[in-house]
Amino acid sequence: MYRLDNGQPIRDAMKAADLSIERLAEKTKEVDPAGYGISQSAVGHMVATGPSGRERFEDRSCDLVARALDRPIHQLFAQSPT
């Protein structure tokens, strides 16, 4: 999946939930049935606006971030590049 608007919706949702990158990574572990979550580094790539930002992510990672932020996945990610 691809992040929307250069990750802005993710950053907005994090701000609304008062979550740092570290805390969002922890929350993905809490919502992951397997208990693994995603790393702080992966979350950082999702929200970065500079050269470390990435556009495409695994479906599982996107699902966990959306669940941790309590947002529908389509508000944060798209199936194809926008």
Side-chain angles (χ1 to χ4, degrees):
M1 298 188 88
Y2 296 84
R3 66 183 183 163
L4 293 174
D5 195 20
N6 206 28
Q8 188 63 49
I10 303 167
R11 291 190 297 277
D12 291 344
M14 288 174 65
K15 184 176 181 179
D18 195 29
L19 293 175
S20 64
I21 289 173
E22 295 81 10
R23 181 66 185 122
L24 179 54
E26 289 173 18
K27 282 191 64 112
T28 64
K29 292 177 185 172
E30 295 169 13
V31 300
D32 185 355
Y36 296 115
I38 62 173
S39 69
Q40 291 179 25
S41 176
V43 173
H45 290 305
M46 286 182 178
V47 300
T49 58
S52 64
R54 299 205 180 130
E55 296 304 317
R56 188 178 184 293
F57 299 91
E58 295 293 324
D59 291 354
R60 177 184 171 278
S61 297
C62 298
D63 178 61
L64 291 174
V65 166
R67 289 173 53 199
L69 290 169
D70 197 27
R71 298 287 172 103
I73 197 166
H74 69 271
Q75 288 183 358
L76 308 173
F77 302 95
Q79 291 292 332
S80 59
T82 56

